[in-house]
Amino acid sequence: MKRIILGVVLLASWQLSAQELYMPRNIKKAYENGTRDRSGAPGKNYWQNKGVYNVEVKVDANSKTVSGKETIIYTNNSPNTLNDLAIRFVNNLHKPQAPRSGVVSKDFLSSGLHIKSFVVNGEKYTVNSDDWGTVEKVKLNTALKSKAKAEVKIEWEYPLSVQSGREGQIDPETFYVAYSFPRISVYDDYNGWDMLPHSDRQEFYNDFNDYSFAIAAPKNYVVWATGDFLNPEAVLQPEYLKRYKSSLKSDKVIRIANEHEMKSGKVTKPNKWNTWKFKASHITDFCFALSNHYVWDGASVQLKTKRASVQAGYKNGAKDFEHYVEWMRYNLDWFSKNWPGVEYPYNVMTAIQGYADMEYPMMINDTSIPDDFQDARLTADHEIAHTYFPFYMGINETRYAFMDEGWATTLEYLIGIDENGEAKAKEFYKNFRVKRWISDPSAEQDQPIITMSTQVSGAGYGNNSYVKASLSYLALKDYLGDDLFKKALHHYMNNWSGKHPIPWDYFNSMNTGSGKNLDWFFNNWFYTNNYIDLKVTNAAQMNDLLTVNVENAGGFAIPFDAEINYEDGTVEKLHFSPAVWEKDQKQMMLTVPIKKKVKTVQLDGGIFMDYTPADNLKAL
């Protein structure tokens, strides 16, 4: 008897350990050091460094040069003495020698950053930036001790690339100026200095800093930017100042300036240069755009605790952008009230027509899609959803893109149901997101989601970051139910808003927030080479009981419907959540009480598209 009990205990112990989630050694060390906690919350010793940036920047529309000077008050909140400062300048990916994911045109290339002066605590450093990549270390003459501050002053300039993507020249007189200033890279509790070189594929990881920007723009140029617009009276002519201020209180779209008014020079003060001032606090980045001919629309939306400004700048005649302010008002309200159900955390959201389909704090840079308003609107939905992930939550997108792109894809789908109806939303999600992954059997498609984003490329990167991650979040939503899922999600967001979560913080927060041990689910979705492929191996009716044997050939713990077709022509559809896979993720048997003769049984995963749908059907 004792030997049998011992065998059971050993089996239970093995099953428990089999579900423990792999954690890299550096992440384990962070937990051991108490900077992160197994509950999912920041640990008692959690810290993050911070910069206060005061930046004066000038954009020369003739030479297409951005120049500036900045003062950074950088606080070392870490327990470590810093012997270096890592300086990051993402725009150096335009330099010919920069690493990139593919071939670029000559119009993409530029000479990159030129540092004119570099001063730390009043001491001038000799810095040659000619050979700098996207991140470089500067050796400090005097180390920066724990809890100490350093004053860093940098003067710099760089050329705007002719080709516009995430930034650059949208047209010869419209510029999207992002990643435009040298910044101190992140120093964190699990990697130290973030020294990963940037490419044109990866996205971003920055400290939560405070930014004050004074942007000198040429005569007749309007500037849109991250943050609060501090001095509209100083740069706008009275009529346009009145329209702008009216938009801050209006639910209806106001045309602040049309193309003719912009081109005629009526909108801004008639100075050779106007200085536009903006301020944003505790945010991960700052960017701006300027044009002398873009149409300028504005309105606002009343949220629970504030009224948020919504603006758009676009080329005259862009039919989809004519609706952007209206769409974005809806976005901010819907995301605040529904999913994720957290109030939009900032005072403004601005859309600029460009070429990137890219998110920035309080701004988006979207391609015009005038012939497909559903696609155009979902593009805006996706980019604005990024407000929460990675900006409200300071996610390391460079290493773990699935922590933000997966959520933006999920929120895009959920708001799309409301905007377009469930059938259209599912069709779009399946065709645009899932189909390209599940129909591609190449090995790279089945790399575990937890794989660092820098280690997968091509479609493998996109499908891990967007599709598979989004499906995991939607599967968990189905498993927990909407109320418990939202409770757990809010627990995670409350833990890590304004901080830097990593995947294990998400896993642990969702466990604690839901009151369930979900490690089996996270192991299934994030740590395996699984895909989606169910197979009905047998189906039989014995009197009033239908049994269906299902093999999970692909391995993912997905929800699905079982459609029972009776011989009398009626159809019954039963839904099964991922809970059915909790004990055995390879096979299961459904038992369904019935009262009529069954003709066929078919499994349907809906948006969880099956690799071999032909074997999901079984005739009795």
Side-chain angles (χ1 to χ4, degrees):
M1 186 66 181
K2 288 182 180 179
R3 292 179 65 187
I4 295 173
I5 293 172
L6 180 62
V8 171
V9 171
L10 287 173
L11 178 61
S13 176
W14 178 85
Q15 288 176 328
L16 179 63
S17 64
Q19 298 301 322
E20 289 181 358
L21 302 178
Y22 161 76
M23 189 181 289
R25 285 171 283 172
N26 62 327
I27 305 298
K28 283 184 179 179
K29 193 171 182 180
Y31 281 88
E32 290 166 4
N33 290 339
T35 56
R36 295 170 194 267
D37 191 83
R38 295 280 180 174
S39 69
K44 65 182 187 299
N45 297 325
Y46 180 79
W47 53 267
Q48 61 192 43
N49 289 354
K50 184 181 181 73
V52 177
Y53 285 67
N54 195 318
V55 185
E56 298 176 26
V57 62
K58 181 178 182 180
V59 181
D60 191 317
N62 295 319
S63 68
K64 319 299 186 189
T65 300
V66 180
S67 58
K69 57 183 180 179
E70 62 190 286
T71 299
I72 309 165
I73 306 300
Y74 182 72
T75 303
N76 176 20
N77 290 316
S78 83
N80 308 317
T81 295
L82 303 181
N83 296 308
D84 314 271
L85 289 180
I87 306 298
R88 185 171 291 277
F89 189 71
V90 171
N91 260 297
N92 270 352
L93 65 87
H94 290 280
K95 295 173 74 169
Q97 64 268 43
R100 285 179 288 271
S101 61
V103 175
V104 296
S105 73
K106 291 181 180 178
D107 284 346
F108 183 85
L109 301 176
S110 76
S111 57
L113 177 70
H114 173 61
I115 289 184
K116 297 179 178 179
S117 71
F118 193 99
V119 178
V120 180
N121 292 332
E123 185 176 1
K124 191 169 184 178
Y125 284 59
T126 301
V127 171
N128 184 349
S129 57
D130 292 350
D131 295 326
W132 275 22
T134 54
V135 60
E136 298 289 340
K137 281 186 178 179
V138 174
K139 180 74 173 176
L140 291 173
N141 295 336
T142 303
L144 181 61
K145 293 183 178 180
S146 175
K147 312 307 178 189
K149 297 178 186 288
E151 181 188 69
V152 183
K153 293 186 175 183
I154 311 174
E155 290 190 46
W156 45 267
E157 67 178 17
Y158 77 97
L160 286 163
S161 61
V162 175
Q163 180 180 322
S164 178
R166 291 174 176 172
E167 33 67 39
Q169 301 178 45
I170 295 173
D171 65 42
E173 295 174 313
T174 305
F175 316 121
Y176 203 93
V177 189
Y179 327 119
S180 61
F181 54 98
R183 73 189 70 206
I184 299 175
S185 192
V186 177
Y187 185 85
D188 63 31
D189 63 311
Y190 59 95
N191 272 316
W193 284 118
D194 177 27
M195 296 301 296
L196 278 177
H198 227 282
S199 82
D200 54 343
R201 190 62 189 264
Q202 275 94 47
E203 296 187 14
F204 308 97
Y205 180 41
N206 298 311
D207 280 323
F208 283 88
N209 299 317
D210 298 341
Y211 294 104
S212 295
F213 263 71
I215 303 163
K219 183 180 179 180
N220 300 334
Y221 276 78
V222 165
V223 176
W224 299 268
T226 298
D228 297 326
F229 184 13
L230 300 181
N231 67 332
E233 295 84 359
V235 294
L236 295 175
Q237 295 275 32
E239 175 61 27
Y240 304 94
L241 175 64
K242 180 181 176 182
R243 295 181 195 175
Y244 167 72
K245 286 190 169 181
S246 295
S247 78
L248 300 180
K249 300 177 181 179
S250 175
D251 291 329
K252 295 182 178 180
V253 180
I254 292 175
R255 178 62 47 84
I256 299 171
N258 62 34
E259 182 187 38
H260 173 73
E261 291 167 328
M262 291 283 283
K263 286 184 174 180
S264 67
K266 296 178 179 179
V267 178
T268 67
K269 293 289 180 71
N271 303 313
K272 185 176 180 181
W273 295 90
N274 286 309
T275 299
W276 302 65
K277 295 182 179 181
F278 297 87
K279 185 177 179 63
S281 299
H282 200 62
I283 198 158
T284 58
D285 205 356
F286 182 98
C287 69
F288 63 97
L290 63 164
S291 178
N292 63 2
H293 62 276
Y294 263 27
V295 176
W296 182 8
D297 289 347
S300 58
V301 57
Q302 181 63 52
L303 304 176
K304 186 176 181 180
T305 66
K306 62 177 176 290
R307 181 171 278 272
S309 171
V310 181
Q311 301 174 52
Y314 57 93
K315 293 178 184 178
N316 186 47
K319 296 301 181 183
D320 53 342
F321 266 83
E322 291 173 357
H323 297 275
Y324 251 66
V325 167
E326 172 192 340
W327 291 346
M328 292 192 299
R329 288 187 70 254
Y330 190 86
N331 278 129
L332 270 56
D333 182 67
W334 195 93
F335 287 142
S336 297
K337 292 177 178 176
N338 296 280
W339 296 102
V342 172
E343 184 173 346
Y344 179 76
Y346 308 120
N347 295 329
V348 63
M349 171 53 73
T350 302
I352 299 296
Q353 182 190 347
Y355 298 104
D357 298 339
M358 184 66 194
E359 72 281 358
Y360 314 79
M362 305 185 216
M363 294 188 75
I364 59 175
N365 174 358
D366 279 0
T367 310
S368 177
I369 314 174
D371 56 347
D372 188 341
F373 275 17
Q374 180 183 344
D375 194 1
R377 188 171 187 179
L378 285 171
T379 300
D381 294 342
H382 181 97
E383 306 312 339
I384 292 171
H386 274 301
T387 292
Y388 297 98
F389 310 91
F391 300 135
Y392 183 67
M393 314 284 285
I395 285 155
N396 186 339
E397 301 175 84
T398 313
R399 293 174 185 266
Y400 306 117
F402 60 86
M403 292 185 71
D404 76 299
E405 293 295 357
W407 281 110
T409 302
T410 298
L411 294 172
E412 164 205 313
Y413 168 68
L414 294 174
I415 195 174
I417 293 173
D418 194 67
E419 293 168 352
N420 303 303
E422 187 171 12
K424 282 188 176 181
K426 285 184 173 180
E427 180 184 12
F428 184 91
Y429 187 89
K430 288 165 70 173
N431 290 336
F432 185 69
R433 296 296 187 190
V434 186
K435 191 174 184 179
R436 286 181 281 186
W437 162 57
I438 200 62
S439 61
D440 182 353
S442 59
E444 189 171 62
Q445 303 306 329
D446 297 331
Q447 294 303 300
I449 300 174
I450 198 69
T451 306
M452 282 207 324
S453 303
T454 51
Q455 305 302 314
V456 285
S457 59
Y461 170 91
N463 289 325
N464 259 16
S465 303
Y466 295 74
V467 182
K468 290 157 68 176
S470 175
L471 288 170
S472 83
Y473 302 139
L474 290 168
L476 187 58
K477 178 174 177 287
D478 189 285
Y479 172 68
L480 294 176
D482 283 2
D483 291 344
L484 186 56
F485 179 74
K486 184 174 283 188
K487 177 186 175 185
L489 177 60
H490 284 183
H491 185 74
Y492 166 52
M493 296 179 75
N494 289 338
N495 276 344
W496 289 98
S497 62
K499 301 179 179 68
H500 292 306
I502 53 178
W504 297 268
D505 300 317
Y506 164 67
F507 302 146
N508 291 329
S509 289
M510 296 299 283
N511 283 345
T512 302
S514 68
K516 294 178 177 289
N517 186 344
L518 301 170
D519 283 359
W520 75 270
F521 180 90
F522 296 132
N523 187 70
N524 174 276
W525 271 96
F526 288 86
Y527 288 86
T528 67
N529 302 102
N530 288 343
Y531 55 101
I532 301 173
D533 189 10
L534 301 184
K535 179 180 181 180
V536 180
T537 57
N538 189 49
Q541 181 176 356
M542 293 290 289
N543 299 322
D544 293 338
L545 193 67
L546 172 69
T547 60
V548 183
N549 295 91
V550 182
E551 178 188 343
N552 191 352
F556 272 145
I558 66 163
F560 62 91
D561 292 335
E563 188 176 281
I564 304 171
N565 291 274
Y566 295 100
E567 287 194 346
D568 65 2
T570 59
V571 179
E572 183 179 6
K573 187 175 285 189
L574 302 173
H575 183 73
F576 296 90
S577 88
V580 297
W581 304 110
E582 188 165 352
K583 291 182 179 179
D584 187 339
Q585 290 153 42
K586 288 299 181 184
Q587 57 189 355
M588 60 166 293
M589 183 172 70
L590 303 176
T591 56
V592 182
I594 52 172
K595 295 183 178 180
K596 294 184 285 186
K597 183 72 173 175
V598 176
K599 183 179 181 181
T600 62
V601 178
Q602 185 167 14
L603 307 184
D604 180 11
I607 59 172
F608 295 85
M609 296 179 71
D610 200 285
Y611 178 50
T612 57
D615 60 17
N616 290 9
L617 175 68
K618 199 76 172 178
L620 274 71

